[in-house]
């Protein structure tokens, strides 16, 4: 696996990653996380991915030269209170469902944690869908994140989690 800096040329690949994740979630009856429609063709979703691509924090994991997942790091979303200490924020994390069980998500989180350490910040934070059975929150906890605060955006239940960064 190789992780590289992403850019505007990766927008279609990132949208496709989300499309595969949404299709997989829908097949499991989970529509609360990212809805039930592909990201590709949705102007709002495309604009969001373009912001990540242009923001300097997009990282693409490749498996055998194929885009397999991405993480975007930067500032927290407007609906999240900034941390009281220096932070790096995971704005997005997705793994293309063509690459299950290869540790792509974990490798991308490790990369984000390493970048946080390189930047000298104290915490790496992320927010995620906290609905359903809470499996996604537990997944982040398994990777060393601790719950910080629940929140809602409209009807969407979320959880902010944090992980201390060690230099």
């Amino acid at each position: 696996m190789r992780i590289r800096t992403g850019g505007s040329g990766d927008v279609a690949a990132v949208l496709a990653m989300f499309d595969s994740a949404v299709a997989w979630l829908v097949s499991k009856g989970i529509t609360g996380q990212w809805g039930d429609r592909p990201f590709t063709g949705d102007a709002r979703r495309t604009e969001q991915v373009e912001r990540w691509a242009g923001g300097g924090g997009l990282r693409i994991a490749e498996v055998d030269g194929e885009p397999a997942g991405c993480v975007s790091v930067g500032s927290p979303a407007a609906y999240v209170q900034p941390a009281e200490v220096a932070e790096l924020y995971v704005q997005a994390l997705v793994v293309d469902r063509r690459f299950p069980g290869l540790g792509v998500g974990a490798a991308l989180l490790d990369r984000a944690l390493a970048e946080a350490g390189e930047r000298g910040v104290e915490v790496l934070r992320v927010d995620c869908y906290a609905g359903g059975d809470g499996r996604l929150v537990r997944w982040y906890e398994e990777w060393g994140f601790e719950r910080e605060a629940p929140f809602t955006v409209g009807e969407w239940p979320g959880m902010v989690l944090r992980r201390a960064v060690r230099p």
Side-chain angles (χ1 to χ4, degrees), residues 46-129:
T46 300
E47 185 177 297
Q48 184 178 47
V49 173
E50 288 171 344
R51 277 195 309 273
W52 296 330
L58 184 65
R59 306 295 175 255
I60 304 293
E62 295 179 335
V63 173
D64 296 328
E66 292 290 320
C70 77
V71 66
S72 180
V73 295
S75 301
Y79 55 81
V80 175
Q81 290 290 332
E84 295 179 6
V85 297
E87 73 173 311
L88 186 61
Y89 204 88
V90 175
Q91 300 165 327
L93 174 67
V94 67
V95 176
D96 190 305
R97 292 306 302 168
R98 295 178 301 150
F99 302 91
L102 299 179
V104 175
L108 288 164
L109 278 181
D110 286 346
R111 172 68 177 263
L113 188 61
E115 286 190 37
E118 291 164 7
R119 295 181 189 200
V121 301
E122 295 180 43
V123 296
L124 178 65
R125 293 196 313 155
V126 64
D127 69 79
C128 70
Y129 178 64

Side-chain angles (χ1 to χ4, degrees), residues 2-31:
R2 174 181 161 235
I3 299 176
R4 63 171 175 79
T5 300
S8 60
D10 294 301
V11 170
V14 172
L15 290 167
M17 291 174 202
F18 277 101
D19 291 348
S20 78
V22 167
W24 181 79
L25 288 167
V26 168
S27 77
K28 302 285 184 195
I30 303 168
T31 59

